[in-house]
């Protein structure tokens, strides 16, 4: 009985997903706060959501939830629970390893882990999410090394990229480079934003151009601006993110309404 319910959920989910590439990167600290994802997801413009964890947020209305095993194992997202949680929570997709190229996980170590834990999952699967660093061995190089070691054995539906930088042309160049390097792969961008000292107005103009451009690129199948929270909650819970990107890209205002940047996701 349970299985057939999940099968129906999955069928509905794939209908919804065809309508939009847009998703919410929704941090854990939104739980219990005035951050209602329904402001984005109820109208069908935004159809995806993830929280860098393998537990499903209390509020996931009309949305496809993507679980993330961000580390090889963690207290909040125990690797031993990954498969139970995916089945019980009805995920459509799984994201794996968050920025392994910056967290000292070698491609070989990641491949061994991926084959054991992610390969057996029968939902859509994202390869480890790499940074936009162009340092040797990081970013797209790390991903290339990972794929070389996999040698066709790592089942996946798309590659997963993060990008942080200074301007829209740099962003487009990075995504186009990834497409040139991995021409047969679909691309998901699970974090992207300008870095400090970008103001909210500069973030607005960046996302104004980035979002329609991403919608027009056939090889991009999902994207998630950083980040679906408010400036105050980001400041209170993720100082490292504030130091790196500031708060101008927040999709919510402090009073819980949709920010000027957030409005772009609803066009
Ligand atoms: C975009 O940023 C890059 C890297 O900082 C810089 O080299 C380039 O000149 C900038 N382009 C524009 C159009 O501002």
């Amino acid at each position: 009985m349970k299985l057939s319910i999940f099968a129906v959920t999955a069928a509905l989910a794939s209908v919804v997903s065809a309508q939009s590439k847009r998703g919410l990167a929704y941090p854990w600290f939104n739980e219990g706060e005035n951050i209602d994802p329904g402001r984005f997801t109820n109208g069908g413009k935004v159809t995806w959501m993830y929280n860098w964890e393998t537990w499903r947020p209390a509020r996931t209305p009309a949305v496809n939830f993507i679980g993330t095993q961000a580390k090889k194992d963690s207290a909040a997202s125990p690797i031993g629970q990954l498969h139970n949680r995916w089945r019980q929570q009805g995920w459509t997709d799984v994201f794996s390893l968050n920025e392994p190229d910056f967290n000292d996980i070698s491609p070989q170590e990641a491949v061994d882990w991926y084959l054991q834990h992610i390969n057996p999952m029968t939902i859509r699967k994202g390869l480890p999410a790499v940074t936009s660093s162009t340092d040797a061995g990081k970013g797209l190089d790390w991903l290339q090394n990972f794929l070389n070691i996999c040698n066709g054995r790592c089942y996946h539906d798309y590659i997963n990229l993060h990008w942080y930088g200074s301007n829209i042309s740099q962003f487009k160049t990075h995504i186009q480079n990834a497409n040139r390097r991995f021409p047969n792969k679909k691309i998901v961008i699970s974090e992207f934003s300008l870095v400090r000292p970008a103001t909210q107005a500069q973030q607005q103009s960046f996302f104004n151009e980035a979002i329609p451009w991403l919608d027009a690129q056939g090889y991009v199948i999902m994207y998630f601006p950083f980040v679906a929270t408010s400036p105050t909650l980001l400041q209170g819970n993720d100082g490292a993110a504030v130091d790196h990107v500031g708060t101008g890209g927040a999709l919510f205002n402090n009073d819980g309404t949709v920010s000027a940047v957030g409005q772009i996701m609803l066009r």
Side-chain angles (χ1 to χ4, degrees):
M1 196 58 201
K2 256 190 179 155
L3 276 176
S4 64
I5 289 166
F6 284 126
V8 169
T9 307
L12 287 175
S14 61
V15 171
V16 172
S17 69
Q19 297 171 355
S20 171
K21 304 179 183 185
R22 300 177 185 175
L24 301 180
Y26 181 92
W28 64 270
F29 50 79
N30 286 338
E31 291 303 293
E33 302 289 347
N34 65 342
I35 302 298
D36 177 6
R39 289 179 186 269
F40 286 90
T41 60
N42 289 343
K45 293 281 188 187
V46 176
T47 50
W48 304 97
M49 186 169 160
Y50 81 95
N51 68 344
W52 291 271
E53 300 289 353
T54 62
W55 48 268
R56 187 169 182 135
R59 293 166 293 187
T60 51
V63 74
N64 304 304
F65 179 68
I66 300 172
T68 303
Q69 188 68 47
K71 297 183 175 170
K72 289 169 70 181
D73 194 8
S74 73
S77 296
I79 190 68
Q81 286 296 311
L82 174 64
H83 293 186
N84 284 342
R85 289 186 179 190
W86 136 52
R87 291 195 182 91
Q88 285 166 2
Q89 299 170 23
W91 305 351
T92 57
D93 294 58
V94 60
F95 287 168
S96 64
L97 298 181
N98 189 65
E99 305 192 343
D101 52 329
F102 258 77
N103 288 300
D104 292 326
I105 300 177
S106 71
Q108 179 68 62
E109 190 183 351
V111 167
D112 293 342
W113 177 91
Y114 192 99
L115 291 173
Q116 183 181 354
H117 299 289
I118 305 298
N119 253 25
M121 298 176 73
T122 54
I123 50 176
R124 299 201 310 174
K125 293 173 275 298
L127 291 183
V130 291
T131 70
S132 47
S133 171
T134 53
D135 294 352
K138 299 203 188 293
L140 301 180
D141 282 354
W142 189 100
L143 183 60
Q144 183 72 66
N145 292 336
F146 177 95
L147 283 165
N148 290 348
I149 296 166
C150 284
N151 195 21
R153 293 172 302 156
C154 302
Y155 302 143
H156 61 279
D157 294 275
Y158 43 82
I159 64 175
N160 190 343
L161 307 178
H162 290 178
W163 181 87
Y164 292 99
S166 312
N167 56 54
I168 185 74
S169 58
Q170 202 188 10
F171 172 68
K172 289 181 183 173
T173 299
H174 183 70
I175 302 304
Q176 285 165 334
N177 282 344
N179 176 237
R180 259 183 234 118
R181 210 153 154 176
F182 308 105
N184 302 317
K185 308 284 188 203
K186 299 294 186 196
I187 296 182
V188 167
I189 303 150
S190 59
E191 294 182 21
F192 67 114
S193 159
L194 296 181
V195 292
R196 263 162 73 125
T199 61
Q200 189 190 45
Q202 286 166 331
Q203 296 279 17
Q204 210 179 330
S205 110
F206 169 76
F207 284 110
N208 252 331
E209 194 167 341
I211 286 174
W213 183 78
L214 291 169
D215 285 338
Q217 309 309 307
Y219 57 83
V220 173
I221 59 167
M222 294 190 280
Y223 59 84
F224 303 75
F226 191 84
V227 56
T229 190
S230 66
T232 296
L233 283 170
L234 194 62
Q235 271 156 354
N237 295 284
D238 194 348
V242 174
D243 287 347
H244 190 212
V245 305
T247 60
L251 301 185
F252 289 85
N253 295 316
N254 289 336
D255 67 0
T257 56
V258 174
S259 73
V261 170
Q263 293 293 348
I264 303 164
M265 293 278 277
L266 294 174
R267 282 198 201 130

